[in-house]
Amino acid sequence: MMKFHVLTLFPEMIKQGLSPSIIGKAAEKNIIAINPVNIRDYTQERHGKVDDTPYGGGAGMLIQAQPVYDAHRAVSGGRKLRTVYVTPQGRPFDQSLAKELAKEEELILLCGHYEGIDERVLEEVVTDYVSIGDYVLTGGELAAMVIIDAVARLIPGVLGNETSAQEESFHNDLLEYPQYSRPEVWKGKSVPKVLLSGNHREINKWRLEQSRERTERVRPDLYERYEARQQLIKRLSKDKRNNIHIMECLARGHGEILYAKGEDIAVYNRDSSTCMLKAASPESGRMLLKYCPDETRWHVVSQAFMKTLLLEQGCQEFCECRQFLYTQREPLPVQHKDIRRLGLESLEYICAHYDMETPEYIRDRLLAGVIYGAFVDQHLVGFIGMHDEGSLGLLYVEKPYRGRGIATSLEAYTVNRMLERGWIPYGHVIVGNETSVRLQEKLGFYQAKDTFWWIEKQ
């Protein structure tokens, strides 16, 4: 559960503004928690006063440091929680920052009022200064609610549909394509014929074209970033089998290009805190490592000298893998028919049978709706999922049910879900797991030539 603490002079405004609709329902389901904190409750002034005139003169009043500091301490308990002060002087709020903030377990938002807040307490508690636009509001409450709404909807389970947050404005730096509903003709304007064709491949092609055209026309800044990723994908496609993990990260809109010149490439996936690296030499490899964000947890490399460089920096090898990818566009046959998307009710079962990931990670994947289970006589006997960096994984089938094609069906089912989204399915198989290798080959996956290492930052 992600917790939003809002330090404000108007807690009822936060409650009333966020309680309806999707955000309120997510709070009722305990997927998120919203905690409005009244700064006035922490003033030491007997009449409840929290403001005073600014030193040096000037119009208006200023919120004093003491009640803000005490309110913050009451929420944080002295912990170093990320604290956002909403102010026109801050960093512009965008989808990238929303994704970054969504990774926090707790977030404090500080709402200013009057002429602002005493600078001394801002220096003491604030970690981020954030602006939702170049204009001035009467207070920070509306801005805080905008940030909460944008961040909360990225948290697994809030939207109730794992594809909703991925298929809208700003996904992959493209604006959303035009949408149409009934009636087919309205005021002489018809729905584009392609949307009535039932040909999903052509529909997806049309939507992409529309998104590109709209973005280039309305937001050339976004379109420039999109084109940079497309150009890098094109370069990487010359060695598709060894580069598919980077290509898909970019194509699905999760990859941020940190560096890309010649053979030296660094791409960061903020969703999984994973940095994917390829270097021309050990010297350029050292240079690339300087571009990796401080919050990087994982490095994925396929060059032995990059592995050595990371180990020399104190990182630890997690596993050695082979990369497999499925390049065909036709869906795979699924023999086992009772396969369903799993929810939180399956958390304990999965954790009991799959110990390579933490319960917190499994919970997030379940909330994201990307773990599927196979059932026999209404009994869950196995599962598979998609990792947060985009690969297939989490495959398990109970021993009494192995040899019945259930694992094959589970992977085929997940491949088909990925194909529906226009993705190229790929996965990493730990070296030595020959059973999994045979499964990939049976399903028509191609094996990359290179060995891949997952290196964990300590």
Side-chain angles (χ1 to χ4, degrees):
M1 177 197 296
M2 182 173 182
K3 298 178 181 179
F4 297 91
H5 306 282
V6 187
L7 308 187
T8 171
L9 297 179
F10 300 95
E12 290 304 315
M13 187 175 178
I14 300 297
K15 292 177 183 177
Q16 293 171 8
L18 295 175
S19 59
S21 190
I22 292 172
I23 303 302
K25 290 178 181 177
E28 291 176 2
K29 295 177 182 178
N30 294 321
I31 299 172
I32 63 172
I34 299 170
N35 175 33
V37 178
N38 193 338
I39 295 172
R40 292 186 190 277
D41 292 343
Y42 296 89
T43 182
Q44 296 173 4
E45 211 281 330
R46 62 179 180 176
H47 298 297
K49 186 179 179 182
V50 296
D51 61 319
D52 209 330
T53 56
Y55 282 114
M61 305 291 281
L62 199 67
I63 298 178
Q64 297 169 294
Q66 175 269 317
V68 173
Y69 181 75
D70 288 350
H72 187 276
R73 290 281 296 183
V75 168
S76 67
R79 295 172 295 155
K80 292 186 178 298
L81 296 183
R82 195 161 185 178
T83 300
V84 173
Y85 178 46
V86 286
T87 168
Q89 303 171 41
R91 167 185 173 183
F93 184 66
D94 57 17
Q95 194 69 6
S96 174
L97 181 52
K99 289 181 179 180
E100 183 182 326
L101 295 176
K103 298 177 73 67
E104 302 293 327
E105 293 183 0
E106 292 187 66
L107 189 65
I108 298 177
L109 293 107
L110 174 58
C111 302
H113 232 275
Y114 311 126
E115 292 303 308
I117 299 176
D118 191 306
E119 185 70 18
R120 291 168 295 184
V121 73
L122 298 180
E123 294 173 352
E124 191 73 23
V125 304
V126 172
T127 60
D128 300 80
Y129 294 79
V130 176
S131 168
I132 65 166
D134 294 334
Y135 45 84
V136 180
L137 300 171
T138 56
E141 285 74 20
L142 289 173
M145 285 189 280
V146 166
I147 293 171
I148 290 172
D149 189 282
V151 172
R153 62 195 314 283
L154 297 174
I155 296 168
V158 169
L159 294 181
N161 181 344
E162 77 272 21
T163 63
S164 294
Q166 300 169 350
E167 298 177 353
E168 58 199 356
S169 294
F170 304 117
H171 168 61
N172 207 6
D173 285 330
L174 289 179
L175 300 180
E176 194 171 33
Y177 45 78
Q179 301 254 37
Y180 301 86
S181 186
R182 295 180 182 178
E184 187 176 326
V185 179
W186 181 78
K187 288 193 174 184
K189 297 181 179 181
S190 300
V191 174
K193 289 184 179 180
V194 66
L195 299 179
L196 307 174
S197 68
N199 186 328
H200 292 289
R201 184 173 296 178
E202 289 301 313
I203 290 172
N204 288 336
K205 180 181 177 182
W206 179 87
R207 286 174 169 170
L208 177 59
E209 290 171 352
Q210 293 294 312
S211 289
R212 292 182 62 170
E213 185 279 328
R214 176 177 284 183
T215 307
E216 186 176 18
R217 173 170 45 86
V218 178
R219 290 292 304 275
D221 56 322
L222 291 179
Y223 189 75
E224 185 178 350
R225 288 210 305 257
Y226 168 79
E227 275 297 300
R229 284 208 299 271
Q230 299 311 303
Q231 290 301 317
L232 182 52
I233 290 171
K234 185 176 180 180
R235 283 169 50 195
L236 291 168
S237 66
K238 295 176 182 177
D239 189 9
K240 191 173 186 178
R241 295 188 187 184
N242 288 313
N243 293 329
I244 193 62
H245 61 305
I246 306 178
M247 293 170 60
E248 280 298 289
C249 180
L250 293 166
R252 299 179 196 180
H254 303 304
E256 175 185 342
I257 300 174
L258 303 176
Y259 190 92
K261 289 183 181 179
E263 298 179 42
D264 298 318
I265 295 168
V267 171
Y268 186 62
N269 183 334
R270 291 196 180 277
D271 295 342
S272 59
S273 302
T274 301
C275 210
M276 292 160 280
L277 305 165
K278 294 181 76 71
S281 66
E283 291 71 27
S284 59
R286 289 190 184 90
M287 177 271 296
L288 286 181
L289 292 178
K290 296 178 182 178
Y291 285 88
C292 295
D294 292 339
E295 61 270 23
T296 300
R297 181 187 174 192
W298 301 101
H299 298 87
V300 180
V301 297
S302 58
Q303 296 160 307
F305 66 80
M306 289 301 299
K307 170 189 169 183
T308 300
L309 287 174
L310 286 163
L311 296 182
E312 287 175 352
Q313 290 196 356
C315 296
Q316 179 177 323
E317 180 180 341
F318 180 74
C319 63
E320 180 182 356
C321 300
R322 292 291 185 183
Q323 182 159 274
F324 290 82
L325 67 156
Y326 182 80
T327 58
Q328 301 178 53
R329 291 299 180 183
E330 296 303 317
L332 291 166
V334 180
Q335 302 300 327
H336 187 82
K337 300 305 179 185
D338 196 357
I339 297 177
R340 316 170 200 168
R341 182 187 299 167
L342 300 180
L344 285 178
E345 70 282 351
S346 303
L347 176 61
E348 185 176 346
Y349 175 89
I350 296 173
C351 291
H353 293 93
Y354 198 91
D355 59 4
M356 288 188 66
E357 302 291 352
T358 65
E360 292 76 19
Y361 180 82
I362 299 297
R363 183 179 186 275
D364 285 346
R365 296 291 81 205
L366 286 167
L367 287 172
V370 293
I371 297 185
Y372 309 100
F375 291 79
V376 174
D377 298 329
Q378 301 301 313
H379 173 63
L380 179 61
V381 299
F383 50 84
I384 193 172
M386 301 180 204
H387 284 292
D388 56 3
E389 93 290 345
S391 66
L392 284 160
L394 304 165
L395 178 59
Y396 172 83
V397 176
E398 291 184 21
K399 285 185 179 179
Y401 298 93
R402 295 174 188 174
R404 302 188 188 185
I406 293 177
T408 303
S409 291
L410 279 168
E411 185 156 337
Y413 180 91
T414 311
V415 164
N416 294 346
R417 300 288 75 75
M418 299 175 89
L419 292 176
E420 287 173 0
R421 302 183 198 182
W423 297 350
I424 297 176
Y426 77 94
H428 286 164
V429 175
I430 294 177
V431 170
N433 188 348
E434 294 304 316
T435 301
S436 185
V437 169
R438 289 193 294 271
L439 174 59
Q440 311 314 311
E441 293 172 344
K442 177 181 178 181
L443 289 169
F445 278 66
Y446 293 103
Q447 180 175 330
K449 177 185 67 176
D450 291 348
T451 296
F452 289 77
W453 290 277
W454 279 81
I455 310 294
E456 187 173 13
K457 182 179 178 181
Q458 297 300 298

